[in-house]
Amino acid sequence: MYYFCDNCNLYYNEDEIEDCLIDYILDLVEYDFHVKKYFYPLLAEKKNDESKKIEEEINKLEQQKERLKKAYLSGMLELEDVSEDYKLIDSKLSILENKRIDALDFDKENYNPGHLMAERDIEREKLTEHEMYKDVLLKLWTMKSKDEKQTFISKFIDTATLKKNEDGSFDIDKINFRSSFIEQIDKLYDKGIVDFPTMLERDGKLQDTKISVNMNSRQLNDYLSTLKKELDISYMDLGEYYFHDDKIDENYDTKTQVAKIRNRAIEFKLKKNQKVIRLVAMKEFKNFSAKPEGKLHLGLVTHTTSKKKHK
């Protein structure tokens, strides 16, 4: 399949764009995998008997998409007509997907956010230690057909603008996520289990890591106790910090000797075999896009790994 660029009047191969954006795609694959395996119960809000009806509506829309595809391939419809209808159907499917989640009948007493988050991280750590985690995500993506890939992306993204670089690669210039996806993130954020990417400097090199926000002390204790059943982990209390104007107040008493503030960064020591699982920020924010303001308690969760490298 090819995409047409309105500005340069050229067609670009779908595979070429996919190769350039694979890291972004795998982030969505990872999110979808974790929601389906661990967090569906947290997105279910009420009990009702609408599931069957919603499934029927979804099936009807999927059948409409298939008829449109056949009509286009047979030459009965133009690409522009099919694209508009596809977009409308995908929008309806996205809304129905959220309704289906809400209609699920779960006993929420059996689903603890801290426990679910820990189970997710245990699996991720074990696969990462054996250098298999990214391969698993890539396999989940590559095993999809072209149609399945398009349907998958349309669940999360409404529109996207790509920028072509001089070397021929593509970057995302602007992206508009579907409102249904943002609603899901808001719900998970409210439970304190949304990961945000951040950077950690270690031995002069920057490393990607994650930070959890909106957690409370009870949830943190549940999370740590579940991790300890499977992994050799440690928790480092990094102290209390005061943020204002998106910056750390370097004169604030952090109430800890473990970490210190230097050059607007938090410094602490780690052993060589301590792998960072995540940073934890214990403070309630209004929503997932809110900037830190006021007091914030930080912690660090590490996994003591074996010295032997697995391949």
Side-chain angles (χ1 to χ4, degrees):
M1 182 174 177
Y2 287 82
Y3 292 103
F4 184 71
C5 175
D6 293 328
N7 294 327
C8 54
N9 293 320
L10 292 175
Y11 284 92
Y12 292 99
N13 190 293
E14 181 182 24
D15 293 334
E16 180 184 357
I17 295 176
E18 180 183 316
D19 289 342
C20 292
L21 304 180
I22 190 63
D23 288 337
Y24 299 101
I25 293 171
L26 292 184
D27 284 341
L28 293 177
V29 172
E30 180 183 35
Y31 169 83
D32 188 65
F33 174 67
H34 289 157
V35 166
K36 288 180 177 177
K37 187 169 184 179
Y38 297 106
F39 302 134
Y40 249 15
L42 302 181
L43 293 172
E45 292 186 336
K46 56 182 178 292
K47 297 180 180 181
N48 55 51
D49 57 358
E50 295 181 359
S51 295
K52 186 176 180 180
K53 183 178 179 181
I54 292 172
E55 288 289 348
E56 290 174 353
E57 291 183 52
I58 289 175
N59 289 335
K60 288 179 181 178
L61 289 172
E62 292 288 1
Q63 290 170 7
Q64 287 182 31
K65 286 183 68 174
E66 187 62 26
R67 287 196 294 270
L68 284 171
K69 178 183 175 182
K70 290 180 179 179
Y72 168 67
L73 293 175
S74 66
M76 294 174 62
L77 292 175
E78 296 293 330
L79 178 60
E80 292 78 7
D81 298 326
V82 174
S83 297
E84 287 299 318
D85 289 338
Y86 251 60
K87 185 176 180 180
L88 179 60
I89 292 173
D90 283 336
S91 178
K92 291 180 179 179
L93 284 171
S94 182
I95 294 171
L96 285 172
E97 179 66 23
N98 264 19
K99 287 184 177 180
R100 178 166 61 179
I101 291 173
D102 286 344
L104 293 175
D105 186 2
F106 286 110
D107 179 4
K108 296 178 73 174
E109 294 298 322
N110 295 327
Y111 295 95
N112 180 299
H115 292 167
L116 292 174
M117 184 176 171
E119 292 292 339
R120 185 270 313 273
D121 284 358
I122 288 169
E123 179 183 53
R124 181 159 55 193
E125 283 301 302
K126 288 182 176 180
L127 288 172
T128 300
E129 188 173 6
H130 290 77
E131 299 180 0
M132 295 169 57
Y133 187 62
K134 188 170 182 178
D135 290 341
V136 170
L137 297 179
L138 194 59
K139 183 66 175 178
L140 289 172
W141 174 250
T142 56
M143 66 189 297
K144 295 180 185 293
S145 66
K146 289 285 187 182
D147 287 344
E148 288 172 336
K149 287 180 178 180
Q150 292 166 13
T151 300
F152 176 84
I153 293 297
S154 68
K155 284 201 312 181
F156 304 103
I157 297 175
D158 188 9
T159 60
T161 304
L162 304 181
K163 179 179 66 176
K164 188 175 183 181
N165 302 316
E166 292 182 359
D167 61 359
S169 63
F170 292 89
D171 286 326
I172 295 178
D173 185 50
K174 183 180 180 181
I175 187 166
N176 294 315
F177 291 106
R178 292 197 179 277
S179 59
S180 54
F181 175 45
I182 295 174
E183 287 171 8
Q184 278 191 19
I185 294 293
D186 267 333
K187 289 178 183 178
L188 293 175
Y189 178 89
D190 189 54
K191 306 294 183 182
I193 56 175
V194 171
D195 287 342
F196 286 88
T198 187
M199 302 298 292
L200 185 74
E201 185 177 344
R202 191 168 185 178
D203 297 328
K205 297 179 181 179
L206 291 176
Q207 296 180 358
D208 293 321
T209 189
K210 304 175 187 298
I211 183 168
S212 304
V213 298
N214 220 32
M215 292 184 73
N216 55 50
S217 57
R218 179 180 176 181
Q219 185 175 339
L220 176 62
N221 290 333
D222 289 339
Y223 171 72
L224 294 175
S225 64
T226 305
L227 279 181
K228 288 177 181 178
K229 294 177 182 179
E230 298 283 341
L231 301 175
D232 182 6
I233 64 113
S234 299
Y235 177 72
M236 184 186 298
D237 188 335
L238 298 178
E240 187 176 88
Y241 300 85
Y242 188 80
F243 283 80
H244 58 86
D245 298 327
D246 209 21
K247 297 177 182 177
I248 302 176
D249 185 344
E250 298 192 24
N251 297 316
Y252 185 77
D253 181 9
T254 60
K255 303 177 178 64
T256 181
Q257 300 298 317
V258 173
K260 59 184 178 181
I261 305 173
R262 181 184 296 176
N263 297 326
R264 298 181 180 177
I266 302 170
E267 293 187 354
F268 48 86
K269 292 183 178 180
L270 289 174
K271 296 179 181 178
K272 288 187 176 181
N273 63 340
Q274 282 185 300
K275 177 183 177 294
V276 175
I277 296 179
R278 67 175 58 254
L279 285 157
V280 176
M282 284 182 286
K283 178 180 173 63
E284 292 188 6
F285 295 99
K286 294 179 181 179
N287 55 60
F288 71 90
S289 61
K291 293 183 178 180
E293 192 76 24
K295 295 179 182 179
L296 180 70
H297 206 99
L298 294 177
L300 184 77
V301 184
T302 61
H303 172 206
T304 301
T305 60
S306 59
K307 294 182 180 180
K308 184 178 178 180
K309 283 281 186 179
H310 299 275
K311 293 186 178 180

